Amino acid sequence: MATDPVCGMTVDPQHAAAEVEHRGTVHSFCSKGCAAKFSADPERYLAAEHDQQGRQHGQEDSQHGQRSRQHGQRSRYSCPMHPEVISDGPGACPKCGMALEPVIASASDLVDAPNPELRDMTRRFWIAVALGAPVVILTMGDMLAGGALAQRVGMDRVNWLGLALATPVVWWCGWPFFDRMWQSVLNRSPNMFTLIGLGVGAAYVFSAAATVLGRPDTYFDTAVVIVALVLLGQVLELQARHRTGAAIRHLLALAPKTARLVAAGAPASGAVERDIPLGSVQPGDVLRVRPGEKIPVDGVVLEGAAAVDESMVTGEAIPTEKTPGVSVIGATIVTNGTFTMRAERVGDDTLLARIVRMVADAQRTRAPIQRLADEVASYFVPAVVIVAMAAFVAWSVWGPEPRLAHALVNAVAVLIIACPCALGLATPMAIMVGTGRGAKAGVLVKNAEALELLARVDTLVVDKTGTLTEGRPRVAGLEAAPGWSENEVLRLAAAVERGSEHPLASAVIEAAQARGLTIPSAAGFESSTGLGVSARVDGRLVVLGNAAFMESRGIETSALEGLADDRRREGGTVMDVAVDGRLAGFLVVADRIRDSSREAVRLLKQEGLGIVMLTGDSRATAESIAGQLGIEDVRAEVLPEGKRRAIADLQQAGRRVAMAGDGINDAPALAQADVGIAMGTGTDVAMESAGLTLVKGDLRGIVRARRLSRATLANIRQNLFLAFVYNLVGVPVAAGVLYPFTGWLVSPIWASAAMTFSSLSVIVNALRLHSQEL
């Protein structure tokens, strides 16, 4: 694939609208307009510099690129039931006949553009109605008049009129069905269109032959009504499937169209702020976000503070405070306050764009339960053909006169009523709706198998750091020695730590800033790796470090040793602070438990899950955290490979295991688990290894995901039940088993209506997941 140097679109060189050679290189373009602009000034578009002129041009051509994408120039298509089927254009699946859907390769592909398949089917449906209505009216009118109409006009004329009107309905409006039937024969994959094609074709051929031979019994009305009803079913199905992506399209539409640029690449004093198109934002750009505005891209706050409503992405209704150094998510809304931010993830790299891709990919995967439907369908269609042939023979031999007519009608009715479209829709519809519902609740489903298996999980293994805890150290306690105040101890410690790159240093500085303390400058900074640091602050020598560091400096710490030991047993890291050789106090730094973790553990236990903490941290710290959360099974000081083995051991013991983690070291365990659950606040590697991602990184999302899993699985079972029961009842009735006892026969018209109704019942049932409470 190539990139259009004008608008930035990805272009297939084999299908490029135009090509221009410049300095020995052939450039491909999405349109002749882009090629003309490039030819007029090639260097302008090949320049690497990110200047204002390029931005203005990007605004013009990003709109062009969006229009081009809306016309589907680079879309690929896949089958919801058979994801391995990929096509360069819209059409039908050669295996099941289902309409192919666009593959979402990037967020820009997901536009609410008209579905070409839906447009085509809608047009065919209305033409079928327009041409078929006179045939049905004439036939029904003649029946209501007791045959008087045919006697007055002449039966031959009625039949020839029916042939003239039914021919375009059957062979043009219904052509997609015959094409799909033929594809099913070539691929040895009989499906619902095999039955429809055989039924409609038999009714039409019989009626055409009867018309030519001058026989009165024709079924043109049956053929045109079946075509119209099946087309109506296709239109309604395509509309429903289009609506399953409405939640994702709604999320995508939340992204703002422009961004307020402060400086390109880095802050610049006196820079003139201006609005630029969202597509022109580059990583490193400094942007301003004001009250009531949407955050344009993912990034980090540089200056200022604000409360941000992230509910549209995370499902959390309470706004979160954003201060310097805190990450922000594109498309979320600033409720009050203002800040400048550095853009870090733009375009298809933003969280919102990744949500779109993950959900779209999940909607094309199949749950294991789909294998049951696939296996049944492989035997079902041949069995129906055999039943239809048996019905034809039986009615031809033992049926009442006219035997041939009755035999044809019942055989066609069997073929039509047994169409397994409801069976084929049962699982894909539930998966598509369920994954969309999960996206709105902050639960991203990577594949359908994970969604199904989560309902059956009995053990949840959780990492500690970044999953149960916040993943970054904070000052959790402060104790001052007699004669010292807490603020003074913290102020001096923060002054020394300013010169340190240790992870704990930032926690001390943040604590001092949170108290509004003025941090003085320090001189003569020295660091002893693994022990502590020292520096001169306000003319005094301040030493900060562990007990061994204090002992090496000859500083007595016994006055606070008892309190310090208590805090160590609670899982905290104690740092003593001494001034001019005397102990001034100590700080306790710990990775704080997430506010939601206690409630999450309680809810997960209520769900009947056994919880195991698996961490590489020290046993003392792990047991302290576990004790506060009520987790009994703790496995500490475990390396990444050990985590994977621990998961495997649980599986060998007969447990169905889900693993929740956020780091690179969790990736092997996430891949080993029956269901891997990644924290959206964690690493990309973890998210790639997991089947589910919790956008907010909140373990309560597992409860929501589990409820979604159970609801989706129950919906699939309901859909399969509706499809199986419908066919078990409909096929024998259509074959005429009730005729000897009740005189009831099912005409092909009613069989087609019943078949359409069965598909709609499955679709409507699947759409109920949109309102599922999580």
Side-chain angles (χ1 to χ4, degrees):
M1 303 297 286
T3 300
D4 186 324
V6 175
C7 66
M9 264 191 63
T10 301
V11 180
D12 185 346
Q14 295 181 349
H15 300 92
E19 291 183 342
V20 175
E21 183 177 353
H22 179 69
R23 293 184 177 178
T25 302
V26 177
H27 300 277
S28 301
F29 298 87
C30 68
S31 68
K32 293 181 179 179
C34 282
K37 291 178 181 178
F38 179 85
S39 299
D41 189 2
E43 299 303 326
R44 174 188 181 189
Y45 299 103
L46 296 177
E49 294 183 3
H50 186 63
D51 55 20
Q52 183 178 2
Q53 182 182 22
R55 291 182 184 278
Q56 292 172 345
H57 179 75
Q59 179 177 12
E60 172 188 348
D61 286 310
S62 64
Q63 296 171 354
H64 165 73
Q66 184 178 8
R67 287 194 298 270
S68 299
R69 287 191 291 272
Q70 289 173 346
H71 282 86
Q73 289 187 7
R74 60 171 180 162
S75 294
R76 303 181 72 195
Y77 292 77
S78 178
C79 174
M81 286 183 63
H82 301 91
E84 68 276 10
V85 174
I86 301 292
S87 172
D88 291 333
C93 174
K95 293 186 177 181
C96 66
M98 183 177 287
L100 302 179
E101 294 192 338
V103 175
I104 308 302
S106 64
S108 57
D109 290 337
L110 190 62
V111 293
D112 200 7
N115 185 326
E117 183 80 5
L118 177 58
R119 285 203 311 265
D120 181 59
M121 287 294 179
T122 302
R123 181 172 60 249
R124 292 176 187 272
F125 167 71
W126 286 115
I127 292 175
V129 169
L131 296 179
V135 178
V136 176
I137 292 172
L138 193 59
T139 303
M140 296 301 294
D142 187 60
M143 291 174 59
L144 294 174
L149 184 60
Q151 291 178 1
R152 179 175 300 180
V153 178
M155 198 64 205
D156 288 346
R157 292 181 180 177
V158 171
N159 286 346
W160 280 105
L161 178 62
L163 176 62
L165 293 174
T167 298
V169 172
V170 171
W171 296 111
W172 187 81
C173 298
W175 179 251
F177 310 148
F178 293 108
D179 180 57
R180 296 176 188 187
M181 179 190 73
W182 180 243
Q183 291 297 323
S184 73
V185 173
L186 292 179
N187 289 278
R188 298 180 181 178
S189 178
N191 53 53
M192 70 179 196
F193 294 102
T194 310
L195 305 182
I196 293 172
L198 288 173
V200 173
Y204 175 84
V205 170
F206 177 88
S207 301
T211 300
V212 173
L213 296 174
R215 295 177 58 89
D217 44 344
T218 60
Y219 297 96
F220 291 121
D221 56 326
T222 298
V224 297
V225 170
I226 290 172
V227 170
L229 284 173
V230 175
L231 284 169
L232 175 61
Q234 289 293 295
V235 169
L236 295 175
E237 176 191 326
L238 289 166
Q239 288 177 339
R241 283 163 58 187
H242 184 68
R243 283 196 298 271
T244 61
I248 312 171
R249 284 189 293 273
H250 174 69
L251 280 175
L252 194 61
L254 294 173
K257 301 296 184 287
T258 61
R260 185 76 174 176
L261 179 69
V262 176
S269 58
V272 178
E273 297 184 11
R274 63 186 185 279
D275 290 331
I276 62 172
L278 185 64
S280 298
V281 176
Q282 300 294 322
D285 285 356
V286 178
L287 311 172
R288 182 177 300 282
V289 188
R290 296 164 291 192
E293 292 184 342
K294 295 176 181 177
I295 297 173
V297 295
D298 297 356
V300 175
V301 176
L302 296 177
E303 296 179 351
V308 177
D309 179 1
E310 297 180 327
S311 60
M312 63 191 66
V313 175
T314 65
E316 178 59 52
I318 301 175
T320 55
E321 293 295 327
K322 301 296 182 181
T323 54
V326 177
S327 298
V328 290
I329 301 172
T332 54
I333 301 174
V334 176
T335 56
N336 60 66
T338 183
F339 58 82
T340 58
M341 60 173 285
R342 181 178 65 250
E344 293 195 338
R345 294 179 182 268
V346 303
D348 289 338
D349 293 328
T350 63
L351 175 62
L352 196 60
R354 285 185 289 165
I355 289 174
V356 170
R357 290 197 299 274
M358 288 180 68
V359 175
D361 290 342
Q363 289 183 341
R364 294 198 308 275
T365 61
R366 287 189 291 177
I369 198 172
Q370 175 67 29
R371 299 181 192 128
L372 171 63
D374 290 346
E375 186 173 352
V376 170
S378 66
Y379 294 103
F380 179 74
V381 175
V384 168
V385 174
I386 293 173
V387 171
M389 293 172 61
F392 183 86
V393 172
W395 280 92
S396 298
V397 176
W398 297 294
E401 293 293 345
R403 291 179 179 175
L404 188 59
H406 279 98
L408 176 68
V409 168
N410 284 278
V412 170
V414 169
L415 292 172
I416 297 300
I417 204 169
C419 288
C421 46
L423 189 62
L425 288 170
T427 299
M429 280 300 302
I431 293 298
M432 283 193 285
V433 179
T435 50
R437 177 68 185 91
K440 291 176 66 177
V443 178
L444 303 185
V445 182
K446 187 176 180 181
N447 60 67
E449 183 176 7
L451 185 63
E452 177 179 334
L453 292 178
L454 185 60
R456 300 172 180 150
V457 163
D458 54 33
T459 302
L460 174 65
V461 176
V462 291
D463 176 48
K464 179 185 74 68
T465 306
T467 303
L468 293 170
T469 65
E470 292 179 345
R472 61 174 184 165
R474 294 174 180 264
V475 173
L478 175 59
E479 192 72 34
W484 292 89
S485 68
E486 290 186 355
N487 283 351
E488 183 65 10
V489 172
L490 182 58
R491 187 179 75 90
L492 294 173
V496 176
E497 290 287 24
R498 263 191 168 172
S500 174
E501 296 180 352
H502 195 278
L504 300 183
S506 59
V508 177
I509 296 170
E510 284 181 9
Q513 292 174 337
R515 293 195 179 196
L517 302 179
T518 301
I519 303 175
S521 58
F525 176 83
E526 293 182 1
S527 174
S528 299
T529 304
L531 295 173
V533 293
S534 64
R536 287 199 169 274
V537 182
D538 296 337
R540 293 179 290 182
L541 177 63
V542 180
V543 178
L544 180 68
N546 57 26
F549 191 44
M550 295 296 163
E551 184 178 351
S552 68
R553 293 293 186 104
I555 299 172
E556 180 62 44
T557 61
S558 58
L560 299 177
E561 193 63 31
L563 291 173
D565 287 342
D566 290 340
R567 302 310 292 269
R568 290 189 185 99
R569 282 191 290 271
E570 293 174 358
T573 298
V574 174
M575 296 189 295
D576 291 316
V577 181
V579 180
D580 290 335
R582 292 179 53 214
L583 183 68
F586 66 77
L587 304 173
V588 182
V589 179
D591 186 7
R592 198 173 74 178
I593 295 174
R594 288 180 183 269
D595 295 334
S596 60
S597 291
R598 289 182 176 84
E599 182 186 1
V601 170
R602 178 180 61 80
L603 291 173
L604 290 166
K605 285 185 173 182
Q606 288 178 0
E607 289 279 321
L609 290 175
I611 302 179
V612 179
M613 179 193 287
L614 197 61
T615 177
D617 211 340
S618 69
R619 178 160 295 279
T621 301
E623 289 181 346
S624 172
I625 297 295
Q628 296 177 61
L629 294 175
I631 299 175
E632 293 80 20
D633 193 343
V634 181
R635 308 184 187 192
E637 301 174 358
V638 183
L639 297 176
E641 180 58 27
K643 290 185 177 182
R644 189 194 66 77
R645 282 198 301 269
I647 298 289
D649 291 342
L650 288 168
Q651 291 170 326
Q652 289 176 2
R655 312 276 282 274
R656 289 193 178 98
V657 183
M659 165 73 184
D662 75 321
I664 294 175
N665 63 332
D666 297 320
L670 290 170
Q672 173 69 39
D674 296 291
V675 179
I677 304 171
M679 303 292 110
T681 51
T683 64
D684 290 342
V685 174
M687 285 186 270
E688 286 298 322
S689 303
L692 299 173
T693 298
L694 307 180
V695 174
K696 189 70 173 178
D698 183 346
L699 283 179
R700 289 176 298 186
I702 297 179
V703 180
R704 292 196 294 270
R706 194 168 161 84
R707 290 171 182 166
L708 175 66
S709 174
R710 285 200 297 264
T712 303
L713 197 57
N715 194 276
I716 291 173
R717 291 195 181 106
Q718 293 162 5
N719 288 345
L720 291 174
F721 174 80
L722 289 172
F724 283 134
V725 168
Y726 163 81
N727 284 299
L728 287 174
V729 174
V731 171
V733 172
V737 295
L738 297 180
Y739 181 79
F741 311 103
T742 63
W744 291 353
L745 288 176
V746 177
S747 73
I749 293 175
W750 288 110
S752 180
M755 180 270 294
T756 301
F757 176 78
S758 71
S759 299
L760 292 179
S761 65
V762 166
I763 292 171
V764 171
N765 187 56
L767 291 175
R768 290 192 307 110
L769 285 172
H770 276 309
S771 58
Q772 176 67 39
E773 287 294 331
L774 302 179

